[in-house]
Amino acid sequence: MRPRHIGLLVGGAFAIVLTLVGFTALVKSRQSTPAGQVVTGVASIGGPFTLTRSDGKAVTERDFLGKPTAIFFGFTFCPEVCPTTLYELSGLIKELGPEAEKMNFVFVSVDWGRDGPKEMASYLPAFDGRIQGLSGTEAEIETVTKAYRVYYKRVPVEGGDYTIDHTASVYLMDGKGQFIGTLAYGEARDTMLEKLKRLVAGA
């Protein structure tokens, strides 16, 4: 077994717990809003970033405006959560049929130390070709993860290698770059598909 596979169950479970805790806190913060205060109903998730696509081209958040976007944060050495999520997302894209062309699908690597355009270009062909791979420097990844409120942390494993605990949800953004909701890890397939259909319909 390769070192990066050690701690698979712990890392995957921890990522799910972090996702649930984060969004539970977000819901509670809305519920505790003082009377009379205006609430928009849209969480402050998303914002400016500059990253590099797997073909080497620099892109920003503006390149994805005009279409709804499903964006997932992970890394190519991820043993379970990432390949499972990307595989499921590929299936959903297929089920959307022609409607899938009305959306952006993005995979951002938080592993700035090991993932670059070359690694992303090698990894993503295993999934639907419409999923764009983005990577960046440490500073660029810090910027985009803070904007999207994504948790990630390097965790040392035996042999001197490391894995990464990270938020496991897919973020759904509308065509204006505003946060709409998420596809949760392990969520029912029919529920996820319906969310994507509504997102496209509301674009």
Side-chain angles (χ1 to χ4, degrees):
M1 180 179 292
R2 294 160 58 182
R4 71 182 187 182
H5 288 175
I6 298 176
L8 165 61
L9 296 178
V10 175
F14 190 54
I16 297 172
V17 170
L18 288 169
T19 299
L20 294 175
V21 170
F23 282 96
T24 298
L26 181 61
V27 171
K28 288 183 177 180
S29 68
R30 292 180 182 176
Q31 293 175 339
S32 61
T33 302
Q37 182 174 330
V38 177
V39 178
T40 64
V42 179
S44 179
I45 293 178
F49 63 80
T50 298
L51 295 169
T52 303
R53 207 164 58 189
S54 56
D55 61 4
K57 179 182 178 181
V59 297
T60 73
E61 78 289 348
R62 295 186 296 275
D63 291 297
F64 302 102
L65 298 180
K67 289 183 179 182
T69 298
I71 181 169
F72 175 62
F73 295 81
F75 62 115
T76 67
F77 280 67
C78 183
E80 180 180 15
V81 173
C82 301
T84 297
T85 298
L86 292 172
Y87 176 78
E88 291 181 339
L89 190 57
S90 295
L92 292 169
I93 292 172
K94 183 177 181 180
E95 290 188 60
L96 282 174
E99 295 296 290
E101 304 303 325
K102 300 178 181 179
M103 283 193 64
N104 301 305
F105 301 93
V106 182
F107 173 52
V108 178
S109 174
V110 297
D111 192 353
W112 46 264
R114 295 181 296 196
D115 288 341
K118 180 179 178 180
E119 288 73 23
M120 297 294 274
S122 175
Y123 181 75
L124 285 174
F127 310 102
D128 192 280
R130 284 163 286 192
I131 301 176
Q132 300 183 55
L134 305 182
S135 58
T137 64
E138 180 179 4
E140 289 169 340
I141 295 305
E142 280 293 303
T143 296
V144 70
T145 53
K146 286 180 179 178
Y148 281 82
R149 298 187 181 182
V150 171
Y151 170 87
Y152 79 101
K153 180 181 180 180
R154 289 191 182 195
V155 179
V157 296
E158 185 178 346
D161 205 349
Y162 64 88
T163 186
I164 299 178
D165 289 329
H166 61 90
T167 301
S169 294
V170 176
Y171 291 79
L172 303 178
M173 317 297 289
D174 67 15
K176 296 180 181 179
Q178 294 184 318
F179 173 70
I180 299 300
T182 65
L183 302 180
Y185 184 69
E187 188 171 357
R189 188 181 186 85
D190 289 345
T191 302
M192 292 192 289
L193 182 59
E194 185 59 32
K195 286 181 178 181
L196 293 180
K197 288 181 176 179
R198 289 201 303 266
L199 186 59
V200 171

